[in-house]
Amino acid sequence: LSYEWWFYMIFFAIITRFRPKASVIAYSLGIIAALSYIVYPFFANRFVMYLVLWWAGADMARLYLEQRAIDFRTMLMPLGAIAICTGILVVNAILNHEAISNELGQKSIGLSPFLEVRHFAFTLVVICAAIVWKKLDWIGWNFTFAPFAHLANISFGVYILHWFMISDATYLSFIENAFIRYILYFLVCFATAFVIERMIYPPLNAWIISRLKFGGLVKAAYAKIFAYRK
């Protein structure tokens, strides 16, 4: 979540100041960060490197809002940047996996330097698969992903809460049956996300904006963002 918060802040800064070249700047910085990650991995270059993945999603959202096709042509820059970073991270894994494994005392695809390769390669595959699936007219969508559309408006709340209320939860540890316990964990998590996302946040957000007389500034900021063109 700390990464995502900073991505939104950086997005706003870049998109409002460098609109014509915003994507070029974001992807270029990410590729440079990935190269530097081979030599000296630390929080800053890892963070900027991962901005490439987030920005690809932002570019997809922009294409959607502009009612433009999301295909291999319009996604050439994001896919190219992700592919380059993936290749760089493969080189990093080849060069540094022994040193990192010795430092950590273990080797796993869930740990650096394999973890970063997995993240970037997975994103590349998923975006390409989605574009191909779209060309196939989303065959099979209705009985695979469509049912989850009903959870879309609370998905971010579930994302934020799931670690504390499901994965690392202990507040129902007095229930001995693990199956029942985890069903209840899921129900509590989803119910809490619904209350926050659909009942508390919308009126609270509207009230805060109206009280701070902030609405005009918010609209102006969004107008700048969505006026962006490559």
Side-chain angles (χ1 to χ4, degrees), residues 84-188:
I84 291 170
C85 288
T86 303
I88 293 170
L89 290 170
V90 168
V91 173
N92 177 58
I94 293 171
L95 295 177
N96 296 318
H97 74 278
E98 288 295 342
I100 295 175
S101 298
N102 292 336
E103 181 71 22
L104 296 174
Q106 54 184 316
K107 184 187 298 185
S108 167
I109 61 170
L111 298 173
S112 184
F114 304 109
L115 180 66
E116 296 87 349
V117 176
R118 195 185 78 188
H119 289 162
F120 277 77
F122 178 79
T123 304
L124 185 64
V125 169
V126 166
I127 294 176
C128 290
I131 292 173
V132 172
W133 198 2
K134 180 176 180 290
K135 288 181 178 293
L136 297 174
D137 200 28
W138 301 110
I139 184 170
W141 174 267
N142 288 335
F143 56 83
T144 53
F145 289 96
F148 294 98
H150 301 291
L151 301 176
N153 57 12
I154 64 168
S155 60
F156 194 73
V158 173
Y159 166 54
I160 293 172
L161 296 169
H162 81 277
W163 174 257
F164 308 100
M165 304 195 79
I166 300 175
S167 298
D168 198 43
T170 58
Y171 57 90
L172 295 178
S173 58
F174 59 89
I175 299 176
E176 294 185 2
N177 188 302
F179 181 74
I180 296 175
R181 185 168 66 248
Y182 274 94
I183 287 178
L184 292 175
Y185 279 150
F186 271 90
L187 290 175
V188 171

